[in-house]
Amino acid sequence: GGKQPGAVSGKMQEKTYVLLIAQEVKRILENNGIKVVMTRSSDKYMGLSERPAYASKQNANLFVSIHLNSAASSKANGVEVFTTTPSGARSTNPDRSGSRARTAGNAYDAYNSLLAYHIQKELVDQTRMTDRGVRRDRLAVLINTKMPAVLVEAGFISNKSDQKKLLSTSERKKIA
């Protein structure tokens, strides 16, 4: 948000559609009696390392970071959920070599994986978008969390089919 638009495709900015999805997730969860604290509820910027710190300060039980993907090829499409790479293992992203060291986020590896699996399954079931699977990576918003955490890539802003869903209020509700 704010000064950081995220991925951009034409006039579409990641920050706009991610906030709409997050607001819908918040509405759904609160309607089910779950307290939700958002890192942003308007078009403001919060750094990657600030987000898990804020969640810790709020005593959050879970951390879900919602994003949109982008690729050089407009054919890339679908949804995927990231969890922290277990210590000693390589990330599933081939373009990232990264450390194999243990991070704070690894304290919740079993819960991270379970959360990622269930979110990925529901995303695919609800949206019928391409299943890119659960992936592991040492992403800034995941490695310093002090609670179970995942990063959701809710579609490719660079793909026309995914864009269509992201532009549709009813399809964004399915994503949420």
Side-chain angles (χ1 to χ4, degrees):
K3 67 182 181 180
Q4 177 53 263
V8 176
S9 180
K11 293 183 179 183
M12 286 184 73
Q13 295 184 331
E14 177 181 13
K15 68 178 185 175
T16 302
Y17 295 92
V18 164
L19 182 57
L20 291 170
I21 293 166
Q23 288 169 333
E24 184 62 23
V25 168
K26 181 179 192 288
R27 185 192 66 74
I28 292 166
L29 292 174
E30 287 180 342
N31 284 345
N32 285 283
I34 298 169
K35 180 184 174 193
V36 177
V37 176
M38 296 188 32
T39 56
R40 70 181 183 105
S41 54
S42 63
D43 189 19
K44 68 176 186 175
Y45 175 77
M46 182 180 279
L48 295 175
S49 61
E50 294 174 273
R51 299 171 199 181
Y54 180 75
S56 291
K57 187 176 176 183
Q58 299 298 315
N59 295 313
N61 294 317
L62 290 175
F63 180 85
V64 178
S65 188
I66 303 171
H67 296 262
L68 296 180
N69 230 330
S70 184
S73 170
S74 62
K75 292 180 182 180
N77 66 83
V79 293
E80 58 193 359
V81 178
F82 283 86
T83 182
T84 303
T85 305
S87 59
R90 290 185 183 200
S91 296
T92 53
N93 270 0
D95 58 333
R96 297 185 189 262
S97 55
S99 164
R100 291 189 186 193
R102 182 172 178 77
T103 68
N106 289 130
Y108 304 96
D109 279 345
Y111 294 111
N112 296 339
S113 295
L114 189 61
L115 180 61
Y117 168 80
H118 284 290
I119 290 175
Q120 180 69 17
K121 182 179 181 323
E122 284 302 311
L123 265 173
V124 172
D125 288 351
Q126 296 298 320
T127 67
R128 301 290 179 220
M129 293 170 82
T130 300
D131 184 353
R132 294 176 57 90
V134 171
R135 302 175 61 84
R136 298 179 313 274
D137 206 344
R138 290 178 176 84
L139 300 169
V141 294
L142 299 179
I143 60 173
N144 293 314
T145 55
K146 295 183 177 151
M147 72 283 302
V150 295
L151 183 144
V152 177
E153 291 284 5
F156 276 77
I157 197 169
S158 54
N159 175 272
K160 295 293 181 201
S161 177
D162 285 7
Q163 273 183 9
K164 214 175 197 181
K165 291 186 183 235
L166 294 164
L167 288 168
S168 163
T169 301
S170 63
E171 291 297 319
R172 281 194 311 271
K173 285 183 179 186
K174 290 178 185 177
I175 292 169

